[in-house]
């Protein structure tokens, strides 16, 4: 059961997810590359951290990478040494392409704790100011797996999506998703 979720990136998607989960009673810890959304996020019940290390020290069950795809290699490089100290934390993301992200996750050595995810949610806006927990109303998420995906990791991400966000999911492989 997912009790604490770490959110990396408090833009439209990450901020909306953090707000959705917080409204539904999940403890959310977040890190953003700039602290400008922290005052409002904390007022909304989100525990903001100044470093990724502090985020990991909060022992999240799942860490959701909500950063831009172009920032993924740098974020993964910063997280890799931290994840080793937190073997029970599952890593997922909300990126719109799954094969490339999985390749980057594998290259950094985090594929054992990774499950791909992509919420079919969004709008034309961006940033924390545009975040809204209702963005996830009736959302369908794609979860992507491969032959190495651990079932307990899959269950953690599925629990976050279905039981914590109140959303639906489909399961497929990266190539099918990306097509």
């Amino acid at each position: 059961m997912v009790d604490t979720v770490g959110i990396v990136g408090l833009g439209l998607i990450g901020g909306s997810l953090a707000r959705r989960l917080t409204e539904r009673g999940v403890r959310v810890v977040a890190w953003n590359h700039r602290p400008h959304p922290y005052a409002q996020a904390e007022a909304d019940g989100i525990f903001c951290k100044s470093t990724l290390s502090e985020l990991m020290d909060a022992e999240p069950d799942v860490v959701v990478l909500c950063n831009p795809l172009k920032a993924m290699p740098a974020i993964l490089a910063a997280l890799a040494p931290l994840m080793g100290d937190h073997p029970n934390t599952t890593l997922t993301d909300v990126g719109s392409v799954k094969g490339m992200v999985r390749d980057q996750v594998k290259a950094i050595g985090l594929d054992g704790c990774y499950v791909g995810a992509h919420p079919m949610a969004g709008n034309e806006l961006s940033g924390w100011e545009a975040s809204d927990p209702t963005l996830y109303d009736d959302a369908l998420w794609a979860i992507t797996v491969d032959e190495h995906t651990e079932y307990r990791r899959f269950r953690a991400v599925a629990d976050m999506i279905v039981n914590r966000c109140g959303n639906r999911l489909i399961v497929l492989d990266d190539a099918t998703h990306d097509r």
Side-chain angles (χ1 to χ4, degrees), residues 120-166:
M120 305 304 146
N123 60 37
E124 73 283 4
L125 305 173
S126 64
W128 168 259
E129 300 77 22
S131 68
D132 180 352
T134 65
L135 187 73
Y136 286 90
D137 285 356
D138 301 317
L140 174 66
W141 291 62
I143 292 183
T144 62
V145 297
D146 69 7
E147 64 276 8
H148 304 292
T149 303
E150 290 184 28
Y151 180 66
R152 71 183 176 103
R153 307 288 187 178
F154 168 82
R155 272 189 41 206
V157 175
D159 179 59
M160 180 190 75
I161 293 167
V162 174
N163 298 323
R164 302 304 182 198
C165 287

Side-chain angles (χ1 to χ4, degrees), residues 52-53 56-57 73-87 108-110:
L52 286 172
S53 180
M56 292 306 297
D57 287 345
I75 296 294
L76 288 169
L79 271 176
L82 304 172
M83 291 292 291
D85 294 333
H86 304 278
I108 205 79
L110 294 176

Side-chain angles (χ1 to χ4, degrees), residues 1 18 26 36 52 56 92 96 105-106 111 113-114 120 130 143 146 156-157 168 173:
M1 185 164 168
V26 177
H36 72 277
L52 286 172
M56 292 306 297
T92 191
S96 58
V105 167
K106 282 182 180 179
D111 49 315
C113 63
Y114 176 72
M120 305 304 146
I143 292 183
D146 69 7
V157 175
R168 300 168 295 126
D173 62 51

